[in-house]
Amino acid sequence: MNIFLLVRLLFVGFIMGGCRSTKISIPTFGIPPCNGTVGCAWDDIFLVHERYDHVIGCTVISPDPYGGPGPAPDPRYVALVKRAAAANLPVVGILDPYSIEPFNLTLVLETIDKYYSFYPGLAGIFLYTFDNICEEIPIRYQVIWDHIHTKQDDPIVVINLGPLATECFMNVSTIILTYQYEIDNYMTYSPAPWMKNYPPERFWNTIANVPESKLETVVERAKELGVGHVFVTSYDMFDNYQHLPAYFDKEAQMVSN
């Protein structure tokens, strides 16, 4: 299963201290590490993170184009994660538990082990595909949650459930991705009533195909909805988050205010 063809989101972020209620968390798994060339998107991310007082909540990596840590450490990503850790910019690794068919919990846990072994400084794991079924928590997701916590203290654990997310998953995640669509539906989107019982940093929205003329409206909408992590892009969903929008600096400024 090619995650870059199927993913209709991305990424994730997690608030790492500070008093700001909203962070910009960036779907960066389609953006390769810098190789010394001018205009590298990762350089822009680090610059904005420093310029706007750690406004970046989180970024994500996928060294394997199919979603995962790869068969061996990739020196480019090793250097990237090290640089990010030094800048207090959290990076999480993405994996799709259901790309292992049939679902194999042992292999999922081994993949998590590889991420932490290959990329020291990793801040957590983003689980792309989740069955929104509460009854599966004890036999699958609680096990995954507990295993990640053996790797580090206070890890970021992001899960993708979409608008139909159920409250039972709050105990096995730090962030739930609840919206990953284009702008048309966002202005009428309403979170489930139970979400009001949790702080904004527990939820994340990504909104695509947003022209610069509507950027401020969308950012303010996210804040009104009580969303702690947001990413707005001018590209459509088929871009698979391979680029930053031209208004990225402006977006970071709006979110930081």
Side-chain angles (χ1 to χ4, degrees):
M1 181 185 295
N2 190 323
I3 199 167
F4 289 107
L5 296 178
L6 297 179
V7 85
R8 288 291 178 268
L9 53 94
L10 165 178
F11 180 73
V12 104
F14 183 74
I15 190 167
M16 299 294 287
C19 59
R20 185 182 293 112
S21 61
T22 306
K23 292 268 188 174
I24 178 171
S25 292
I26 313 171
T28 48
F29 56 78
I31 301 176
C34 298
N35 59 6
T37 58
V38 176
C40 173
W42 277 102
D43 284 340
D44 292 338
I45 291 168
F46 281 100
L47 180 63
V48 162
H49 188 57
E50 180 179 2
R51 177 180 295 161
Y52 297 110
D53 189 24
H54 295 85
V55 68
I56 305 300
C58 197
T59 56
V60 75
I61 60 170
S62 180
D64 188 322
Y66 292 94
D74 184 327
R76 301 173 304 157
Y77 285 97
V78 172
L80 174 62
V81 173
K82 181 178 180 180
R83 178 186 178 189
N88 195 26
L89 195 164
V91 175
V92 301
I94 192 170
L95 69 89
D96 180 356
Y98 287 89
S99 65
I100 302 171
E101 299 178 358
F103 181 91
N104 187 315
L105 182 58
T106 299
L107 291 181
V108 171
L109 301 183
E110 289 176 354
T111 301
I112 292 170
D113 291 342
K114 287 182 180 179
Y115 256 126
Y116 279 100
S117 174
F118 292 173
Y119 306 105
L122 199 70
I125 298 292
F126 173 62
L127 299 165
Y128 165 59
T129 302
F130 248 65
D131 282 343
N132 199 0
I133 302 173
C134 294
E135 289 74 15
E136 292 189 350
I137 289 178
I139 60 175
R140 292 185 178 180
Y141 308 127
Q142 186 67 54
V143 177
I144 294 172
W145 168 266
D146 291 342
H147 188 72
I148 294 172
H149 277 75
T150 67
K151 299 299 175 182
Q152 65 181 120
D153 295 329
D154 299 320
I156 301 169
V157 182
V158 186
I159 61 175
N160 169 30
L161 293 178
L164 300 179
T166 49
E167 189 175 8
C168 58
F169 281 90
M170 294 299 287
N171 291 330
V172 290
S173 65
T174 50
I175 304 170
I176 293 181
L177 179 62
T178 58
Y179 189 93
Q180 50 172 337
Y181 305 104
E182 299 194 352
I183 184 176
D184 295 345
N185 297 321
Y186 195 61
M187 306 315 293
T188 56
Y189 162 70
S190 296
W194 62 263
M195 295 182 185
K196 296 179 181 179
N197 299 326
Y198 297 89
E201 61 263 29
R202 300 298 305 275
F203 304 104
W204 170 59
N205 291 171
T206 64
I207 308 96
N209 206 21
V210 179
E212 185 171 356
S213 61
K214 295 184 178 181
L215 174 62
E216 184 174 7
T217 299
V218 172
V219 170
E220 290 305 313
R221 174 64 175 165
K223 292 181 178 180
E224 291 171 2
L225 293 175
V227 175
H229 305 278
V230 62
F231 180 70
V232 183
T233 180
S234 57
Y235 292 93
D236 62 28
M237 299 306 299
F238 294 99
D239 180 66
N240 290 316
Y241 302 99
Q242 298 180 68
H243 305 88
L244 296 176
Y247 53 60
F248 177 59
D249 186 279
K250 183 177 181 180
E251 176 180 344
Q253 184 178 11
M254 287 181 179
V255 170
S256 68
N257 290 333

